[in-house]
Amino acid sequence: MKSGYTLPVFAIAAAKAAILAILKKNSSSIELNLLESGLGILEISQSAIIDENIAIAIAISNPGDNLDLTAGTPVWAWVKLESLGAERIILEAGEGLGRTASGEPAIYRLARDLAEVNLIPLLPKNITARIRFVLPEGRALAKRTSNAAFGILEGLSLLGTSAISKPLSVEDKLAEFRADLQAKAVKSHQLAFYIGANGYQVAQNLGFQPTQLVQTANWVGAMLVESALLGVTSITLVGYHGKLLKLAGGIFNTSSHLADARIDILVRAAVHEQLPYALIREIESLPTAEAVHKLLVQHNCDRQIFQYLTEQITQRSTAYIQKYTDRQIEIKTILCDRLGQLVV
């Protein structure tokens, strides 16, 4: 099975091709420094000069043999070279590239690091490059993802932890997460486990460094046990409440294919907190945790319920670790909504 590249790589390759076109150094293939992944050669589909300081270039996404809906997607980079401002490069979101709930372009650390390493050395002195990424199919493709659930609106994101897109089986993915945990546990005994892009952003906002951030996907239980065996002393669980609240019910593989008792867990929390019977019945009738959250907000009892769930997640996670390792880890739980806003 062939590896490919993640979407940020194609965006930066297109940007580099556009800058080279302005500088009269056109090339149909672009060499990129892929940071920890070495060097890569990417093909450019098209490039064109619009005027003496503006050009556009297009790369076609190729994630290799991954089931990735961005495969074959054109990634455009519109570039304008202008007088030096406060920054050497300005990255903007055009059509099809999403924005966060706060309105910022959904352009994350990998894309920015790639841009800094590959684009700034090309620029003449006293010049800033204004780069606008356009994904013509991005808005339509985003509807087939869970981006909106994680606070990325109106398009796709330039998000990734690696420049290389490797085809992985389910078992391979768990092995990759464990390897990442093992490497980071050596550097710090205080880690944050996150689920989803919004969990990653919330954890960063809380002050955690990338070397402390560990993705768990659905394998929260297995990763908790692994961390205890590695000598980790503190873990902060960060993620969307609709996922992490499963831990409050003792479900430590959060895949919906294995178990999905979210509404039952929310009903139990409502009973414990002695909410009115009619409200409990309404909670029981709702289809999603998000719908329950909105209902609880309307009745001004959301913080009460999610504080209880946070405590339950912490207690059950601590007990889960002790059960399988006979070790203790300080557990903290941070729950956020679909837009990355804290719920307690």
Side-chain angles (χ1 to χ4, degrees):
M1 299 180 74
K2 294 186 297 182
S3 296
Y5 298 111
T6 54
L7 203 58
V9 174
F10 294 98
I12 302 307
K16 182 173 181 178
I19 292 173
L20 290 175
I22 297 172
L23 299 177
K24 308 272 192 291
K25 299 177 181 178
N26 293 61
S27 178
S28 60
S29 62
I30 295 295
E31 181 178 86
L32 285 187
N33 179 341
L34 301 178
L35 308 175
E36 296 178 357
S37 301
L39 297 177
I41 305 294
L42 288 93
E43 297 301 315
I44 299 300
S45 174
Q46 296 178 0
S47 63
I49 298 174
I50 298 175
D51 69 24
E52 62 178 358
N53 293 315
I54 301 175
I56 191 169
I58 303 171
I60 305 299
S61 173
N62 179 6
D65 292 334
N66 282 286
L67 295 176
D68 189 320
L69 56 79
T70 69
T73 299
V75 182
W76 299 13
W78 174 94
V79 175
K80 179 181 180 181
L81 299 187
E82 53 192 41
S83 298
L84 182 63
E87 302 174 76
R88 296 301 309 278
I89 50 175
I90 301 170
L91 304 183
E92 300 179 342
E95 172 61 28
L97 181 60
R99 295 182 179 274
T100 66
S102 62
E104 295 296 317
I107 303 172
Y108 295 99
R109 184 181 298 275
L110 175 63
R112 295 184 182 279
D113 288 347
L114 288 169
E116 183 173 335
V117 169
N118 290 282
L119 305 183
I120 290 179
L122 300 176
L123 301 178
K125 292 181 179 180
N126 301 320
I127 290 294
T128 286
R130 184 176 298 274
I131 303 165
R132 186 173 305 146
F133 298 111
V134 175
L135 291 93
E137 301 170 4
R139 194 180 291 262
L141 289 173
K143 295 177 180 178
R144 295 163 54 190
T145 74
S146 57
N147 276 10
F150 296 121
I152 300 170
L153 311 175
E154 301 179 354
L156 297 174
S157 64
L158 298 184
L159 176 66
T161 56
S162 171
I164 305 298
S165 176
K166 298 178 182 178
L168 298 173
S169 68
V170 171
E171 295 79 9
D172 287 336
K173 287 181 180 178
L174 175 55
E176 184 181 69
F177 291 151
R178 290 181 63 198
D180 183 53
L181 169 61
Q182 290 161 10
K184 289 175 178 174
V186 172
K187 298 177 182 178
S188 175
H189 286 174
Q190 297 178 324
L191 302 176
F193 283 5
Y194 70 91
I195 297 180
N198 64 345
Y200 183 87
Q201 291 302 307
V202 170
Q204 281 198 317
N205 293 341
L206 291 172
F208 287 98
Q209 299 302 308
T211 53
Q212 296 175 286
L213 296 176
V214 177
Q215 185 176 8
T216 66
N218 290 315
W219 295 287
V220 182
M223 297 288 278
L224 285 171
V225 170
E226 180 98 8
S227 66
L229 296 174
L230 292 170
V232 173
T233 58
S234 173
I235 292 176
T236 301
L237 300 170
V238 187
Y240 173 51
H241 63 69
K243 270 285 190 183
L244 281 181
L245 67 81
K246 293 184 180 183
L247 276 62
I251 300 170
F252 282 87
N253 185 316
T254 59
S255 171
S256 295
H257 296 293
L258 297 180
D260 190 356
R262 285 174 286 191
I263 300 302
D264 296 321
I265 293 167
L266 286 160
V267 167
R268 188 186 71 183
V271 170
H272 183 275
E273 294 300 300
Q274 301 180 354
L275 298 191
Y277 178 70
L279 182 54
I280 294 173
R281 289 294 303 272
E282 192 170 355
I283 291 171
E284 190 176 29
S285 70
L286 292 174
T288 66
E290 188 67 21
V292 174
H293 183 207
K294 291 178 180 178
L295 176 66
L296 294 173
V297 170
Q298 292 171 9
H299 288 269
N300 198 31
C301 54
D302 53 306
R303 294 184 66 84
Q304 175 186 355
I305 293 299
F306 282 103
Q307 182 61 50
Y308 168 76
L309 288 170
T310 296
E311 293 168 357
Q312 286 293 297
I313 292 168
T314 297
Q315 291 173 15
R316 286 188 174 252
S317 297
T318 302
Y320 190 89
I321 292 170
Q322 289 178 325
K323 178 181 178 181
Y324 290 104
T325 70
D326 197 30
R327 300 187 184 187
Q328 289 189 338
I329 293 181
E330 180 187 7
I331 301 292
K332 299 176 184 176
T333 302
I334 305 292
L335 301 179
C336 57
D337 64 15
R338 288 181 180 274
L339 299 180
Q341 301 298 312
L342 303 186
V343 298
V344 289

